[in-house]
Structure formats: structure tokens, C-alpha cells
Amino acid sequence: MRTLALDETILLEVDKPARYIGNEVNAVMKDRHSVDVRFCMCFPDVYEIGMSHLGIQILYDMFNRRSDVWCERVYSPWTDLDRIMRRDNIPLFALESQDPVKEFDFLGITLQYEMCYTNILQVLELSQIPLEASGRGEDCPIVIGGGPCTYNPEPLADFFDMFYIGEGETVYDALIDLYKECKRQRRGRREFLLAAAALPGIYVPSLYDVTYHEDGTIASFTPNQPGVPAKIEKQIVMDLDRAPYPENPVVPFIKATQDRVVLEIQRGCIRGCRFCQAGMLYRPTRERNVDMLKKMADAMLRSTGHEEISLSSLSSSDYSQLEELVTYLIEECGKKGVNISLPSLRIDAFSLDVMSKVQDVRKSSLTFAPEAGSQRLRDVINKGLTEDVILKGAGDAFSGGWNKVKLYFMLGLPTETEEDQKEIAHLAEKIAERYYEIPKDQRNGKCQITVSTSFFVPKPFTPFQWAPMCTKDDFLGRARTVNHEIKEQLNRKSIRYHWHEADVTVLEGLLARGDRRVGAVLLEAYRRGALYDAWSETFHNELWEQALDAAGIDLAFYTSRSRSTDEILPWDFIDIGVDKAFLKREWEKAQKEQITPNCRSRCAGCGASCYKGGVCFESKN
């Protein structure tokens, strides 16, 4: 029988106790004694964030389709419950059974964002699992990481038994079967890890050694056991229509960040923006069949009772059957009183027509992501967006009744100049001017333009992976330049400006680009109290500064230093299917301000043809 791990008196002490009680609609309950493998799926952030993550919903459904596996969930306790659990020595528990996480066979942790890394250590410590993999015995779960941050797992190498590189639908069944076989044969933890390393996409850090040059760069990265592959190949699902997808997703008790049905229409992106890690990692673009999507939408709306459905994609406008799908959803959702959310759309005539049918134009805002203010810099990053296109889209939107526009830019991009920074303000001014060109009696109130700038991090497996990052002071100086220029504009009262925290961005760069030695900084920061670093109210930069000093790590070595294209990078042992030679060509073209056409226009020879399919011209020749 299921019993709560927390008694009622403790639940009354914490904010939002529904985060911890489980038993939600569509949660899967099984008899723990009738399964062979228990898998606890963790998102290392608060419940509302984790419940919005599609990847966990997919794997939760996929695992629980197996009669021999029970997959449960756990999220990071908020700081109030964290204090109580430490005070009363309460081990972290899974939501479904309320059993301690340390009693499971696997603890699978989603690595979605670098600034959640201290939460990973929190989950391990509260679960009473040794933080470092080398200290775990036969009674500890196998700790496995998956998700986009595993494409540079090295800063976390000391804390994980293994990583899954790629999309989870492909190898997990084989990994679970191998685990069952090792248990049957009474083979120990070390033997299982060695056997698992032979599976495609599985990386076991303890089976590799790293050496360094005197200047701190990597000299070698090699397996230390026979039979262990030197390269780990990304695993990918080519036929999404045959891949599992949850018809009965778990419905949270409290409002989640994305409290809606999520319909994934495709994976990957044809655009090739040089700053975008996801656009490189998820090549080639693969689409789901429109008829399958219609059926999935109907099934999920029935099983959840959600009143909104959202299309998930890196670039929804590039889905080839978008018009048919959206037309169907507008008709069917309209009958049921269900709202439709259409993120990641280009602002063109079709998109505006669709959005006018599904949004209340008096309340909604439209989002443009020019990323750079000047055309020169947009060419450097291969954004594929001209000023004329941006202004036409804004003008069409204003004529259609919209008066609120959000503009997203990045500061600190390679080759960026002060003039490029000022062009952000100038572009916002031109958009405001376009609004006021509309006759006054036809306007929908005052124009509201919100300009937001994030700071650029050169992520692994992008053409910019060799580029230096700005320092904190340099980032802030660029933001001040933009802010000053906006205040000089004629329509400045219509323009608001926000920028991201520079110190958080620099640490994100450290964790995204670091090697194994950075793990010592992470551990030291956590021990000094760092937790929920992705949240402004709980982020304390001084703890990280102290940790860097204590660990003897030079921040500039990992962030603001330029890298040679011949240098061994911490993530070079991973093969994502995109050739390093292609990334080098794109890096060179960026410096020459040359653009590369999208994958539907012409093949750029990135290497993704090795997967034999998807939206990839090269693979069809």
C-alpha cells in the first residue's frame, strides 16, 4: 500500500505541498514486487518546471509500457522542504510509491540547463547516495544522465555512473535488458558498467582517462579498458511515427510552467544558425506524420482535460504540413473550447492569419527573434532574416490589430562591434515607427515594444565553439550601450529594455565548456550553499567566486580564451553526426560574413546524411 513519505505536519510547513504528494491524473501505479527494474526519473528543478518537460513524459510513458519496469518521478525539493529533510534526516522519495530513491535500480537525471547542476548534487545528497560515483557501492542506484547538456558531460563526470548520449527512445530497452541479465548472473556494478559501455550511445566516464598539456589544454582522452569505444555515437530516432509518445501524459495538481498538452511535430531545424546548439545536435530534421499528430492531439486532450494545446518544435513554420495540421486543430479545438499555442513561428502572412484565429489580439503579443541588430551581424550568425522581412512582419502584425511586440537579441556575439549593439535600439525604433505609420483611428492603443537581450555562450558542437566569451564587465558594458541608445530614440516611451544576468551567463559558459577539472568547482560551490542557481532569488555569485578560488580554477581559461581549431575539446569524443570539418567551415564563413542556405534550399555537407533520412538533401542523393 502507498504511504506518504512526509506526514501531514511537515506538508503544512512547506509552500505548495502538492509538489510532493504524487497520485496525479495518469500517474502510473504498479506493484513494486511484480517488476524487475525500478527506474526513478528526475528533473533537477522544482516540480512546476519539471512537469513541463516533454522528454520526461515521453520516457516515463515508454518505460511504463514494459511490464517488467516501473518508472517513477522525482523533482528537486524547494528550499523549504530541503531544510526540513536535512533537519529530520528524511531521504528523498519518488512521487508514485513514496519509496526512497536510494532503493531504486536507476536514478535517471535530465540535464537540461547548466545552472541546475547544483540541484543534481542536492538530489543525490538528499537521496543519501554518495555524490561521487567512485564512492558508490552495490546497494546504490545506477546514476545516469541524459538530455542536451550530456553533449559535454565532463564537468559532471565525477558524479555520474554513465551518460546516455542522444534520444532516449533508441537504446534504453537494451540497457534495461542488459541490467536484468547482469542481475540474473549476479554480476556486480563494475561489470555492468563495463558491459553497458559497449552499447551505442552509452558513456561511462570512469572507463576513460584524460591527460593535459602544461598550458592546461587536453593532451589525450582515451579508454582505460579494452573493448571500450574511443568515440561515443549520438543515438537518434529516424522514424518518429513509430517512436513512443504519451497519449496519457501525467497532469500536475498545481499549475505547471506549461500547463497544456504538448504536441511535438518535428525534431531538428533546417535553418543552421551558427549560435544554436540544438540546431546542430538534432540534425537531421525529422517530421511526424500529420494524420498521426491529429490522432495524438485528440487522444491527449481526452485523457488530460487540458484547455490548451501547444505545438513543439525548434521552428514550427518549417513543418511541411503545418497548414493542414493547424486548420484541423482550429476546427476541432474550437468545438471543445481549447486554446492553441503556436510558438516558434516566423511572422509571415500565413502565421499572422492563423494567430488571428487562435489569439485574442487585444491581449497577445508577437515575438520576433532577430538575435542581432545589424544585417552584418545577422549574416555572421547565419540568422537568415533581413531587416525588410522583420519590418514587413511587424507592419503586417500591426495592421492586423497587434500592438505588443517582443524582440529577442544576443549580446557578445563573435565579431560584434559597438555599432552592432546600437543597431538593436535602431531596429526597435524602426518597428515603432512602422506602428505609428498606421492612421491613428486604426491603431489598437499604444505601441509596446519589449527588447530583451541575453548574453552569448559559445556552446559545444556549434561553429562558434572556438570563440571566446565576454567577461561579466564586458557583457554589462554592451547592455549599457544598448540601454543608452534606446533612451536616445524618438519613440523611447514605447520601448522597454531588459537584459539577462551577466554573472549567471559566465558561469553557464564555464559549465557548458569545461572539462573534468570543473567538477571540483561545482562540488565546492554546492558545499558552500549554492542551490537553485537558475533562480534569481536563490543565486549567489559570491559562492561560485569562492569556489573557483578554492579549487584553483582560472575562469578565463574556460570562458574568455579563444580556442584553436586544432585543440582537443572536452567533448570531442562524442560523434553527433555533424562533421567537425563542417563546423570549421561555418566558423570561417562567419568571420567572412557569409551565409549558408537552409537544408531545404541546398546541402551544406554537414555530415548528417549518415542517418539516411529526414529533411536532408545530401542523404537523398
Side-chain angles (χ1 to χ4, degrees), residues 321-443:
Q321 297 170 297
L322 182 65
E323 185 170 1
E324 179 181 348
L325 177 61
V326 168
T327 301
Y328 174 83
L329 291 176
I330 288 174
E331 182 178 338
E332 293 302 311
C333 291
K335 295 176 185 175
K336 302 167 184 173
V338 173
N339 296 322
I340 304 171
S341 173
L342 301 169
S344 305
L345 285 181
R346 290 196 302 278
I347 307 302
D348 53 21
F350 167 71
S351 300
L352 290 170
D353 179 59
V354 168
M355 284 186 279
S356 69
K357 296 175 183 176
V358 302
Q359 292 184 355
D360 181 344
V361 298
R362 291 170 299 176
K363 297 180 181 178
S364 64
S365 62
L366 292 179
T367 299
F368 296 80
E371 308 295 358
S374 69
Q375 190 60 51
R376 184 199 74 81
L377 194 53
R378 284 194 294 274
D379 289 345
V380 168
I381 65 178
N382 204 44
K383 181 61 184 177
L385 197 60
T386 65
E387 183 174 291
D388 287 344
V389 169
I390 295 168
L391 294 178
K392 183 181 186 306
D396 290 345
F398 294 147
S399 297
W402 278 270
N403 68 330
K404 300 175 185 177
V405 171
K406 295 178 181 178
L407 299 172
Y408 289 105
F409 298 91
M410 281 187 285
L411 286 173
L413 288 162
T415 78
E416 182 183 276
T417 65
E418 183 176 329
E419 188 57 36
D420 295 319
Q421 297 154 26
K422 291 179 178 179
E423 283 298 316
I424 292 175
H426 299 166
L427 182 57
E429 170 69 9
K430 290 174 185 177
I431 290 173
E433 288 174 355
R434 184 62 58 95
Y435 181 79
Y436 290 112
E437 289 172 1
I438 299 172
K440 191 170 184 179
D441 60 345
Q442 297 177 27
R443 297 176 198 160

Side-chain angles (χ1 to χ4, degrees), residues 42-56:
C42 170
F43 194 94
D45 206 329
V46 74
Y47 175 88
E48 297 94 304
I49 303 291
M51 281 296 291
S52 301
H53 187 253
L54 178 61
I56 282 189

Side-chain angles (χ1 to χ4, degrees), residues 6-53:
L6 300 177
D7 63 38
E8 293 180 4
T9 58
I10 289 177
L11 288 174
L12 291 173
E13 291 184 55
V14 301
D15 183 38
K16 299 181 182 178
R19 289 168 169 164
Y20 312 111
I21 61 176
N23 210 31
E24 306 102 320
V25 172
N26 294 332
V28 176
M29 302 300 296
K30 294 187 179 183
D31 179 358
R32 62 173 65 83
H33 303 296
S34 66
V35 297
D36 300 318
V37 176
R38 299 188 68 186
F39 198 112
C40 191
M41 189 72 67
C42 170
F43 194 94
D45 206 329
V46 74
Y47 175 88
E48 297 94 304
I49 303 291
M51 281 296 291
S52 301
H53 187 253

Side-chain angles (χ1 to χ4, degrees), residues 135-377:
R136 293 176 197 144
E138 298 296 333
D139 59 339
C140 292
I142 299 294
V143 180
I144 179 170
C149 291
T150 59
Y151 289 94
N152 179 21
E154 289 304 277
L156 293 170
D158 290 342
F159 312 113
F160 280 78
D161 297 302
M162 62 173 65
F163 295 92
Y164 184 119
I165 311 296
E167 296 171 352
E169 297 96 330
T170 55
V171 176
Y172 261 122
D173 280 333
L175 181 66
I176 289 171
D177 290 341
L178 174 64
Y179 180 78
K180 286 177 59 178
E181 180 63 19
C182 286
K183 280 182 66 176
R184 188 185 65 81
Q185 296 178 2
R186 299 180 183 273
R187 296 165 70 185
R189 185 184 195 87
R190 178 74 175 176
E191 291 178 281
F192 168 67
L193 293 176
L194 191 58
L199 293 175
I202 299 298
Y203 167 52
V204 180
S206 62
L207 301 181
Y208 296 79
D209 292 331
V210 191
T211 62
Y212 302 92
H213 293 296
E214 286 187 11
D215 65 358
T217 59
I218 295 174
S220 66
F221 186 99
T222 54
N224 58 34
Q225 295 293 323
V228 176
K231 280 272 188 179
I232 308 295
E233 296 182 0
K234 173 186 77 174
Q235 299 304 293
I236 190 170
V237 180
M238 289 307 300
D239 188 353
L240 289 178
D241 294 332
R242 293 180 179 271
Y245 199 81
E247 292 189 13
N248 303 291
V250 181
V251 181
F253 274 137
I254 56 178
K255 184 173 177 59
T257 305
Q258 296 186 27
D259 197 18
R260 58 182 75 103
V261 162
V262 179
L263 193 64
E264 184 189 45
I265 61 176
Q266 64 182 14
R267 289 184 190 172
C269 180
I270 66 171
R271 294 288 148 184
C273 298
R274 294 177 180 133
F275 60 85
C276 181
Q277 186 185 45
M280 298 296 164
L281 294 181
Y282 298 113
R283 290 187 174 212
T285 302
R286 292 143 290 148
E287 297 187 337
R288 292 187 189 271
N289 178 270
V290 67
D291 293 326
M292 176 262 196
L293 290 172
K294 293 175 185 177
K295 292 176 183 175
M296 292 300 301
D298 292 340
M300 288 190 288
L301 287 171
R302 280 196 308 270
S303 70
T304 62
H306 278 306
E307 297 178 342
E308 184 173 346
I309 186 167
S310 174
L311 304 188
S312 173
S313 169
L314 292 175
S315 178
S316 298
S317 293
D318 293 319
Y319 177 61
S320 63
Q321 297 170 297
L322 182 65
E323 185 170 1
E324 179 181 348
L325 177 61
V326 168
T327 301
Y328 174 83
L329 291 176
I330 288 174
E331 182 178 338
E332 293 302 311
C333 291
K335 295 176 185 175
K336 302 167 184 173
V338 173
N339 296 322
I340 304 171
S341 173
L342 301 169
S344 305
L345 285 181
R346 290 196 302 278
I347 307 302
D348 53 21
F350 167 71
S351 300
L352 290 170
D353 179 59
V354 168
M355 284 186 279
S356 69
K357 296 175 183 176
V358 302
Q359 292 184 355
D360 181 344
V361 298
R362 291 170 299 176
K363 297 180 181 178
S364 64
S365 62
L366 292 179
T367 299
F368 296 80
E371 308 295 358
S374 69
Q375 190 60 51
R376 184 199 74 81
L377 194 53

Side-chain angles (χ1 to χ4, degrees), residues 58 67 117 119 141 247 337 582:
I58 290 174
S67 60
Y117 283 3
N119 283 59
E247 292 189 13
F582 166 75

